[in-house]
Amino acid sequence: METFEEYMRSFEEDAEELLVRICWFPKEPPSRPELADGTLKMRARFDEAINAKSGERSGSGKFNWLEWTYRKKLFGDPFGHTMKTGSLYRIRARRKKAGTAENAEIYYVDEVLEKDVKDRRLDPVLSFLDSFEEEEKEMLFLNKKPVSGWGVFWGYKRICLTYLASMDPRDTEICTKTGRLFLLEKHSGSSLKTDFRELTAYRLLVRPSKTGPETYLVVRNLGKADPAPFRERIEEYRRPVTIENELGSFSLERQWNWFDGTIQWCRKPCNVLIDVEEGSTDCTSAMDILRRICADDTAFDARVRRQVCDQTMELLRDWYEEEITEEEYMQRLGTPLITISEDGDIDFSFETGELYAGHTLIASVDEAGNVQRADLAG
């Protein structure tokens, strides 16, 4: 087992002052010593660092570690130093000597100088907030649906809403352009505290985006507003939109921005989703693509299945233990769900049943039926 002296000699003698952003910290302290004299060794990961003296950045795109040693005490910090994921720390640390992996930065922490540092260069939350104007203003918005999407964002949940119309309460003119609202919610648990309703008007205190048109940061929800100014927009949104043509009937699902329809594909009913832009009812380009791939659906379908089989047969063996021929594999893929995006991308989604333990196999194809990639989802 390595001695404490041997371990410390693996680091440079001169320390640097660094600002580091912690991206991982263990849930439990080490259970046993790693050094010969009974000293405990602790590790945390950082994803980027800035040298306090030179301002030079390091660690980006690498697998980076902070290390330190300590002796277990009856009382005190069980980790030696406790660090929070997503927080910034100013430390004095020494770099690992030459010979370590090229894709890693490793430092020994001599001292933690400052905790929970606020620095826009490494703080994604502050950088995000800086992308909006400082001026706050009160506005009315017609919200489309409860939530358009959200994700964990450095200790917060970053939530996105879509609005269908907006107006300044001091004015009578309504802006019918659709847009986005962002808000940050402290990350605690898996459920959202934010409560916005479908086709409901709200009075919000917001900050306009510096770069994105029709984009705002919600500072405070001031409550529901009178929907009367948006009545015409609400009626328009609720009005059914249907396309009837030689392929079938397609209905616009405004909540999801797609036309949903059923066609005959290889003489079997096949569900088709055609994406449209927010607020648009035009799917002419995507519908033309659908017509072209339906012109010889049997040959197109056979080409897709053949290439999916060629690209995923090895993957299938990792998931499915029974013997299966290529012909049986292609047949068991079943009738696909065809999705055509507003950019013209085509996806064939196959329900695979027990082949992939219930996962869906999605093949991205071009108009000639060539499979660009095939991935599992769900």
XYZ file of all heavy atoms in Angstrom, residues 184-253:
569
model
N -37.075 29.486 -13.352
C -36.230 28.606 -12.558
C -36.925 28.271 -11.254
O -37.488 29.140 -10.598
C -34.881 29.269 -12.268
C -33.982 29.565 -13.468
C -32.695 30.248 -12.998
C -33.652 28.307 -14.247
N -36.846 27.007 -10.897
C -37.458 26.524 -9.659
C -36.410 25.702 -8.919
O -35.747 24.860 -9.523
C -38.674 25.663 -9.997
C -39.422 25.118 -8.812
C -40.595 24.246 -9.267
O -41.557 24.792 -9.825
O -40.522 23.013 -9.059
N -36.219 25.955 -7.636
C -35.243 25.203 -6.856
C -35.488 23.707 -7.008
O -36.617 23.244 -6.886
C -35.317 25.596 -5.374
C -34.425 26.760 -4.989
C -32.951 26.388 -5.078
C -32.065 27.500 -4.526
N -30.622 27.126 -4.630
N -34.413 22.973 -7.291
C -34.562 21.535 -7.542
C -34.701 20.771 -6.234
O -33.752 20.638 -5.473
C -33.354 21.018 -8.314
C -33.412 19.551 -8.613
N -34.562 18.929 -9.026
C -32.463 18.587 -8.556
C -34.322 17.649 -9.211
N -33.053 17.411 -8.932
N -35.894 20.281 -5.975
C -36.145 19.459 -4.790
C -37.243 18.469 -5.138
O -38.392 18.850 -5.364
C -36.569 20.317 -3.595
O -37.712 21.070 -3.899
N -36.883 17.202 -5.244
C -37.854 16.188 -5.621
C -38.080 16.158 -7.116
O -37.508 16.934 -7.883
N -38.948 15.244 -7.559
C -39.164 15.031 -8.988
C -40.376 15.781 -9.537
O -40.545 15.885 -10.743
C -39.347 13.536 -9.266
O -40.429 13.018 -8.513
N -41.236 16.296 -8.668
C -42.445 16.982 -9.141
C -42.222 18.492 -9.223
O -41.372 19.048 -8.526
C -43.621 16.683 -8.206
O -43.338 17.118 -6.885
N -42.995 19.137 -10.104
C -42.894 20.583 -10.280
C -43.866 21.306 -9.358
O -45.007 20.898 -9.187
C -43.211 20.950 -11.735
C -42.280 20.407 -12.822
C -42.796 20.831 -14.187
C -40.856 20.896 -12.623
N -43.394 22.394 -8.762
C -44.272 23.243 -7.962
C -45.040 24.216 -8.851
O -46.124 24.675 -8.504
C -43.452 24.013 -6.930
C -42.743 23.126 -5.891
C -41.914 23.956 -4.938
C -41.171 23.084 -3.935
N -40.302 23.885 -3.036
N -44.450 24.534 -9.995
C -45.066 25.462 -10.936
C -46.426 24.943 -11.389
O -46.558 23.773 -11.750
C -44.150 25.651 -12.157
O -42.910 26.209 -11.709
C -44.778 26.575 -13.169
N -47.418 25.802 -11.386
C -48.782 25.386 -11.737
C -49.375 26.361 -12.748
O -49.976 27.370 -12.384
C -49.649 25.301 -10.480
C -51.057 24.801 -10.768
O -51.244 24.159 -11.812
O -51.959 25.063 -9.949
N -49.184 26.068 -14.023
C -49.784 26.860 -15.093
C -50.808 25.999 -15.817
O -50.572 24.814 -16.059
C -48.714 27.355 -16.069
C -47.907 28.512 -15.551
C -46.807 28.298 -14.735
C -48.251 29.808 -15.874
C -46.056 29.350 -14.246
C -47.516 30.880 -15.397
C -46.416 30.653 -14.577
N -51.943 26.597 -16.200
C -53.039 25.854 -16.809
C -53.111 26.103 -18.317
O -52.658 27.134 -18.820
C -54.367 26.243 -16.156
C -54.389 26.087 -14.627
C -54.197 24.639 -14.199
N -54.114 24.502 -12.754
C -55.179 24.364 -11.967
N -56.404 24.387 -12.485
N -55.021 24.221 -10.658
N -53.737 25.151 -19.006
C -53.903 25.247 -20.450
C -54.869 26.363 -20.825
O -55.900 26.561 -20.169
C -54.426 23.906 -20.992
C -54.619 23.872 -22.495
C -55.122 22.527 -22.973
O -55.319 21.623 -22.129
O -55.343 22.386 -24.194
N -54.523 27.128 -21.880
C -55.351 28.215 -22.417
C -55.857 29.136 -21.309
O -57.033 29.482 -21.240
C -56.526 27.643 -23.218
C -56.171 26.900 -24.509
C -57.427 26.445 -25.228
C -55.319 27.761 -25.417
N -54.943 29.533 -20.448
C -55.258 30.410 -19.322
C -54.398 31.657 -19.418
O -53.208 31.585 -19.756
C -55.005 29.691 -17.989
O -55.785 28.503 -17.945
C -55.362 30.574 -16.808
N -54.988 32.808 -19.133
C -54.262 34.073 -19.169
C -53.621 34.344 -17.807
O -54.242 34.122 -16.759
C -55.204 35.211 -19.536
N -52.373 34.822 -17.838
C -51.649 35.129 -16.608
C -51.029 36.516 -16.690
O -50.622 36.975 -17.765
C -50.532 34.101 -16.375
C -51.041 32.730 -16.004
C -51.275 31.768 -16.977
C -51.303 32.393 -14.676
C -51.749 30.507 -16.645
C -51.768 31.134 -14.330
C -51.997 30.204 -15.317
O -52.462 28.956 -14.988
N -50.964 37.150 -15.526
C -50.249 38.416 -15.386
C -48.887 38.075 -14.777
O -48.816 37.549 -13.662
C -51.034 39.367 -14.483
C -50.392 40.767 -14.350
C -51.218 41.615 -13.394
N -52.562 41.835 -13.914
C -52.890 42.860 -14.694
N -51.984 43.748 -15.027
N -54.118 42.982 -15.116
N -47.804 38.369 -15.513
C -46.478 37.961 -15.091
C -45.520 39.149 -15.082
O -45.617 40.049 -15.925
C -45.911 36.885 -16.029
C -46.757 35.618 -16.244
C -46.109 34.735 -17.294
C -46.938 34.852 -14.933
N -44.598 39.098 -14.121
C -43.477 40.041 -14.100
C -42.325 39.338 -14.804
O -41.898 38.256 -14.375
C -43.097 40.401 -12.671
C -42.069 41.527 -12.494
C -42.629 42.853 -13.019
C -41.671 41.661 -11.026
N -41.837 39.923 -15.921
C -40.875 39.227 -16.766
C -39.686 40.111 -17.124
O -39.735 41.336 -16.979
C -41.547 38.736 -18.069
C -42.627 37.712 -17.771
C -42.109 39.914 -18.875
N -38.623 39.442 -17.610
C -37.460 40.123 -18.168
C -37.278 39.642 -19.606
O -37.159 38.438 -19.848
C -36.206 39.809 -17.349
C -36.189 40.441 -15.967
C -35.101 39.832 -15.084
N -33.792 39.845 -15.714
C -32.713 39.256 -15.188
N -32.819 38.596 -14.033
N -31.552 39.298 -15.803
N -37.260 40.550 -20.587
C -37.111 40.140 -21.991
C -35.719 39.561 -22.260
O -34.726 39.960 -21.650
C -37.309 41.446 -22.769
C -37.943 42.390 -21.800
C -37.453 41.996 -20.452
N -35.644 38.624 -23.200
C -34.369 38.049 -23.615
C -33.555 39.078 -24.384
O -34.101 39.891 -25.136
C -34.605 36.823 -24.488
O -33.406 36.373 -25.071
N -32.229 39.021 -24.224
C -31.347 39.920 -24.960
C -31.150 39.449 -26.400
O -30.788 40.238 -27.266
C -29.983 40.004 -24.276
C -29.996 40.662 -22.913
C -28.604 40.648 -22.290
C -28.599 41.304 -20.916
N -27.245 41.247 -20.283
N -31.360 38.159 -26.637
C -31.043 37.600 -27.951
C -32.228 36.965 -28.664
O -32.301 36.999 -29.889
C -29.940 36.539 -27.820
O -30.362 35.525 -26.887
C -28.649 37.170 -27.295
N -33.148 36.333 -27.931
C -34.235 35.608 -28.566
C -35.513 36.411 -28.617
O -36.010 36.883 -27.593
N -36.090 36.593 -29.796
C -37.365 37.324 -29.889
C -38.494 36.529 -29.253
O -38.481 35.294 -29.243
C -37.576 37.462 -31.407
C -36.799 36.326 -32.004
C -35.615 36.133 -31.105
N -39.458 37.234 -28.683
C -40.640 36.628 -28.051
C -40.239 35.622 -26.970
O -40.861 34.586 -26.790
C -41.535 35.926 -29.090
C -41.695 36.636 -30.413
C -42.174 38.076 -30.279
O -42.860 38.375 -29.289
O -41.865 38.891 -31.161
N -39.174 35.940 -26.229
C -38.686 35.058 -25.169
C -38.503 35.874 -23.896
O -37.895 36.952 -23.928
C -37.347 34.405 -25.559
O -37.512 33.691 -26.784
C -36.879 33.431 -24.489
N -39.008 35.341 -22.765
C -38.974 36.081 -21.508
C -38.608 35.148 -20.349
O -38.877 33.942 -20.391
C -40.337 36.713 -21.209
C -40.803 37.710 -22.235
C -41.511 37.290 -23.357
C -40.541 39.070 -22.092
C -41.951 38.198 -24.305
C -40.984 39.990 -23.035
C -41.682 39.545 -24.135
O -42.114 40.454 -25.075
N -38.016 35.734 -19.316
C -37.775 35.049 -18.052
C -38.852 35.485 -17.068
O -39.071 36.687 -16.875
C -36.395 35.409 -17.491
C -36.071 34.863 -16.100
C -35.864 33.355 -16.142
C -34.828 35.553 -15.523
N -39.526 34.531 -16.466
C -40.571 34.846 -15.488
C -39.921 35.138 -14.139
O -39.272 34.279 -13.550
C -41.573 33.684 -15.359
C -42.625 34.016 -14.291
C -42.239 33.394 -16.696
N -40.092 36.361 -13.663
C -39.577 36.758 -12.356
C -40.587 36.419 -11.266
O -40.230 35.917 -10.198
C -39.264 38.268 -12.338
C -38.761 38.698 -10.958
C -38.245 38.613 -13.416
N -41.870 36.674 -11.561
C -42.917 36.405 -10.577
C -44.258 36.200 -11.281
O -44.580 36.905 -12.236
C -43.031 37.561 -9.578
C -43.947 37.252 -8.362
C -44.005 38.432 -7.402
N -42.694 38.901 -7.025
C -42.241 40.120 -7.256
N -43.025 41.020 -7.837
N -41.031 40.478 -6.874
N -44.991 35.225 -10.801
C -46.347 34.988 -11.286
C -47.304 35.822 -10.435
O -47.450 35.584 -9.240
C -46.697 33.503 -11.195
C -48.094 33.188 -11.709
O -48.848 34.076 -12.102
N -48.444 31.907 -11.699
N -47.964 36.800 -11.053
C -48.860 37.700 -10.332
C -50.302 37.208 -10.323
O -51.180 37.897 -9.823
C -48.783 39.101 -10.949
C -47.377 39.734 -10.962
C -47.403 41.075 -11.681
C -46.833 39.892 -9.553
N -50.513 36.012 -10.884
C -51.843 35.415 -10.832
C -52.545 35.390 -12.182
O -52.065 35.928 -13.182
N -53.701 34.755 -12.196
C -54.489 34.655 -13.418
C -55.045 36.028 -13.812
O -55.285 36.872 -12.952
C -55.633 33.659 -13.239
C -55.160 32.221 -13.037
C -56.338 31.280 -12.857
C -55.872 29.856 -12.621
N -56.996 28.923 -12.421
N -55.232 36.190 -15.122
C -55.754 37.459 -15.652
C -57.055 37.206 -16.407
O -57.407 36.064 -16.723
C -54.711 38.100 -16.573
N -57.760 38.271 -16.694
C -59.006 38.180 -17.458
C -58.681 37.686 -18.865
O -57.891 38.313 -19.583
C -59.645 39.560 -17.515
C -60.985 39.549 -18.245
O -61.406 38.463 -18.691
O -61.586 40.629 -18.368
N -59.276 36.575 -19.317
C -58.957 36.041 -20.647
C -59.650 36.776 -21.792
O -59.399 36.457 -22.966
C -59.456 34.598 -20.556
C -60.598 34.656 -19.583
C -60.227 35.721 -18.578
N -60.517 37.737 -21.474
C -61.320 38.406 -22.508
C -60.483 38.942 -23.676
O -60.868 38.760 -24.840
C -62.154 39.521 -21.884
N -59.329 39.592 -23.450
C -58.560 40.110 -24.585
C -58.075 39.019 -25.534
O -57.798 39.288 -26.701
C -57.377 40.817 -23.913
C -57.845 41.117 -22.526
C -58.744 39.979 -22.159
N -57.970 37.798 -25.030
C -57.446 36.698 -25.837
C -58.548 35.773 -26.369
O -58.262 34.692 -26.877
C -56.464 35.860 -25.000
C -55.311 36.632 -24.443
C -55.158 36.793 -23.065
C -54.372 37.216 -25.280
C -54.079 37.494 -22.540
C -53.293 37.925 -24.769
C -53.143 38.068 -23.389
N -59.805 36.199 -26.244
C -60.917 35.320 -26.606
C -60.819 34.837 -28.058
O -61.009 33.651 -28.353
C -62.236 36.057 -26.398
C -63.464 35.171 -26.510
C -63.568 34.230 -25.334
N -63.768 34.973 -24.089
C -63.619 34.447 -22.887
N -63.248 33.176 -22.765
N -63.811 35.170 -21.789
N -60.516 35.731 -28.961
C -60.432 35.363 -30.375
C -59.308 34.361 -30.621
O -59.448 33.410 -31.400
C -60.217 36.617 -31.226
C -60.238 36.358 -32.713
C -60.126 37.642 -33.522
O -60.535 38.714 -32.999
O -59.642 37.574 -34.660
N -58.182 34.562 -29.943
C -57.039 33.637 -30.099
C -57.381 32.263 -29.537
O -56.997 31.231 -30.108
C -55.813 34.213 -29.376
C -54.533 33.428 -29.622
C -54.034 33.621 -31.032
N -52.774 32.943 -31.259
C -52.659 31.693 -31.721
N -53.746 31.005 -31.995
N -51.487 31.142 -31.912
N -58.103 32.214 -28.440
C -58.515 30.935 -27.846
C -59.448 30.186 -28.783
O -59.305 28.966 -28.994
C -59.190 31.174 -26.475
C -58.174 31.727 -25.470
C -59.790 29.879 -25.939
C -58.777 32.160 -24.153
N -60.411 30.901 -29.381
C -61.351 30.264 -30.306
C -60.623 29.731 -31.536
O -60.932 28.643 -32.042
C -62.421 31.271 -30.716
C -63.377 31.634 -29.578
C -64.360 32.718 -29.967
O -64.263 33.216 -31.125
O -65.215 33.081 -29.133
N -59.644 30.492 -32.018
C -58.853 30.048 -33.172
C -58.077 28.770 -32.838
O -58.008 27.841 -33.642
C -57.884 31.152 -33.591
C -56.963 30.754 -34.735
C -55.866 31.781 -34.952
O -55.879 32.839 -34.283
O -54.977 31.509 -35.779
N -57.511 28.738 -31.643
C -56.729 27.571 -31.223
C -57.601 26.326 -31.118
O -57.172 25.215 -31.463
C -56.074 27.867 -29.868
C -55.214 26.748 -29.330
C -53.873 26.633 -29.695
C -55.741 25.815 -28.445
C -53.079 25.608 -29.199
C -54.951 24.785 -27.939
C -53.626 24.692 -28.313
O -52.850 23.668 -27.817
N -58.823 26.489 -30.670
C -59.722 25.353 -30.472
C -60.401 24.894 -31.758
O -60.996 23.817 -31.794
C -60.784 25.708 -29.426
C -60.225 25.767 -28.007
C -61.266 26.235 -27.040
N -60.818 26.072 -25.647
C -61.377 26.668 -24.610
N -62.420 27.469 -24.796
N -60.915 26.481 -23.386
N -60.320 25.705 -32.814
C -60.989 25.367 -34.067
C -60.282 24.173 -34.723
O -59.066 24.197 -34.953
C -60.971 26.560 -35.006
C -61.881 26.437 -36.223
C -61.876 27.726 -37.013
N -62.353 28.836 -36.204
C -61.671 29.959 -36.005
N -60.476 30.127 -36.545
N -62.170 30.931 -35.265
N -61.018 23.095 -35.052
C -60.387 21.904 -35.654
C -59.797 22.212 -37.026
O -60.341 23.010 -37.794
C -61.542 20.909 -35.773
C -62.590 21.400 -34.829
C -62.455 22.900 -34.818
N -58.651 21.583 -37.313
C -58.013 21.695 -38.625
C -57.777 20.282 -39.137
O -57.091 19.483 -38.480
C -56.683 22.462 -38.554
C -56.006 22.493 -39.920
C -56.902 23.881 -38.038
N -58.342 19.953 -40.303
C -58.228 18.614 -40.859
C -57.804 18.694 -42.318
O -58.268 19.572 -43.067
C -59.568 17.858 -40.767
O -59.985 17.807 -39.400
C -59.426 16.435 -41.288
N -56.914 17.787 -42.714
C -56.492 17.668 -44.111
C -56.981 16.326 -44.645
O -56.715 15.277 -44.052
C -54.955 17.757 -44.239
C -54.452 19.136 -43.813
C -54.521 17.450 -45.676
C -52.951 19.258 -43.803
N -57.709 16.391 -45.755
C -58.186 15.177 -46.419
C -57.514 15.099 -47.785
O -57.595 16.039 -48.579
C -59.709 15.216 -46.591
C -60.498 15.399 -45.316
C -60.728 14.094 -44.577
O -60.379 13.037 -45.144
O -61.267 14.138 -43.453
N -56.844 13.984 -48.066
C -56.262 13.784 -49.392
C -56.262 12.306 -49.747
O -56.864 11.489 -49.029
C -54.847 14.387 -49.469
C -53.902 13.808 -48.426
O -54.021 12.642 -48.036
N -52.945 14.616 -47.978
N -55.592 11.957 -50.859
C -55.608 10.572 -51.330
C -54.930 9.598 -50.368
O -55.155 8.380 -50.430
C -54.944 10.473 -52.715
C -53.429 10.597 -52.732
C -52.915 12.026 -52.622
O -53.731 12.947 -52.385
O -51.700 12.218 -52.774
N -54.102 10.125 -49.429
C -53.396 9.259 -48.484
C -54.256 8.918 -47.275
O -54.100 7.856 -46.667
C -52.102 9.930 -48.024
C -51.059 10.222 -49.104
C -49.882 10.982 -48.512
C -50.587 8.928 -49.761
N -55.137 9.849 -46.881
C -55.968 9.624 -45.712
C -56.432 10.928 -45.098
O -56.422 11.982 -45.746
N -56.806 10.869 -43.844
C -57.290 12.039 -43.109
C -56.307 12.361 -41.984
O -55.884 11.470 -41.235
C -58.683 11.757 -42.524
O -59.140 12.852 -41.767
N -55.960 13.660 -41.846
C -54.972 14.092 -40.871
C -55.548 15.244 -40.049
O -55.989 16.247 -40.614
C -53.681 14.535 -41.562
C -53.083 13.481 -42.455
C -53.539 13.323 -43.766
C -52.080 12.649 -41.993
C -52.995 12.360 -44.599
C -51.525 11.671 -42.813
C -51.989 11.528 -44.112
N -55.513 15.106 -38.739
C -56.050 16.133 -37.833
C -54.913 16.803 -37.083
O -53.989 16.128 -36.590
C -57.029 15.508 -36.839
O -58.123 14.931 -37.515
N -54.997 18.124 -36.967
C -53.966 18.885 -36.263
C -54.146 18.766 -34.756
O -55.202 19.089 -34.222
C -54.023 20.359 -36.675
C -53.033 21.297 -35.979
C -51.589 20.893 -36.263
C -53.284 22.743 -36.401
N -53.108 18.285 -34.087
C -53.062 18.258 -32.621
C -52.228 19.464 -32.193
O -50.993 19.406 -32.158
C -52.431 16.951 -32.123
C -53.150 15.683 -32.554
C -54.461 15.486 -31.810
O -54.657 16.164 -30.778
O -55.283 14.677 -32.265
